[in-house]
Amino acid sequence: MKILGLSEFRRSLKLLKTEVRARVDLRLTALAALMADKARELAPVETGKLRENIKLRKEHRGRIAVIAEAPYSGFVEFGTRPHEIRPRHKKVLRFEINGKIVFATRVYHPGTSPKPFFRPALEDAVEKLPEIFNIWEVIE
């Protein structure tokens, strides 16, 4: 038995798969960009560094990551518990309070409350998923 047109059928499937992947990638990129924009909008601003460091990164196999590269991003998102701060490289800590220079061998930090910006941005993106990623438009 011989099946005629099998190679043409395989080429058509491969072409369709490529087209669908391109449409999916386009929508994933749009969704990730929306999430990044929302995270930047919600991020608290003191110096602007946190906002500037929310970026998109394309990874292998069409994956797109939204990342907050500022080293303290997690502390802002989740907050911190009360903790003790001790000097690492010097004998004392030096800082300013109300215009006065203060020296201390240790300081008890009360911790910080969470200021979520990333999770709400993700939740917003998930809500927009159906309108951006209509599967029937992708397959058409």
Side-chain angles (χ1 to χ4, degrees):
M1 183 164 115
K2 186 175 184 180
I3 299 174
L4 299 174
L6 188 58
S7 60
E8 290 84 3
F9 177 69
R10 283 186 177 153
R11 274 195 296 274
S12 295
L13 277 180
K14 194 179 262 188
L15 182 62
L16 178 63
K17 184 178 174 183
T18 303
E19 286 179 25
V20 169
R21 180 173 285 144
R23 291 178 188 167
V24 167
D25 286 351
L26 187 66
R27 282 165 174 78
L28 280 176
T29 302
L31 189 64
L34 277 173
M35 181 183 165
D37 289 344
K38 188 67 172 181
R40 283 186 209 102
E41 176 188 318
L42 296 173
V45 179
E46 200 166 297
T47 64
K49 192 171 188 169
L50 179 59
R51 248 182 211 176
E52 291 168 11
N53 281 287
I54 297 171
K55 300 176 181 176
L56 294 180
R57 182 174 62 209
K58 292 197 176 198
E59 297 181 342
H60 66 285
R61 295 190 171 193
R63 293 182 184 186
I64 299 168
V66 180
I67 54 173
E69 290 183 321
Y72 52 86
S73 300
F75 300 131
V76 174
E77 179 79 12
F78 302 109
T80 61
R81 290 187 278 168
H83 55 281
E84 183 180 81
I85 302 172
R86 292 178 173 250
R88 286 194 215 166
H89 305 292
K90 304 283 182 183
K91 292 182 181 183
V92 293
L93 298 166
R94 178 189 184 274
F95 51 97
E96 189 177 319
I97 297 179
N98 298 327
K100 284 187 164 183
I101 302 295
V102 178
F103 296 94
T105 56
R106 62 183 172 184
V107 174
Y108 295 98
H109 191 285
T112 58
S113 58
K115 294 182 180 86
F117 63 97
F118 213 75
R119 182 177 215 112
L122 174 62
E123 290 167 355
D124 186 62
V126 168
E127 284 179 20
K128 293 180 177 162
L129 189 63
E131 65 191 68
I132 289 176
F133 212 97
N134 182 338
I135 193 69
W136 300 115
E137 287 178 8
V138 172
I139 294 175
E140 276 181 357

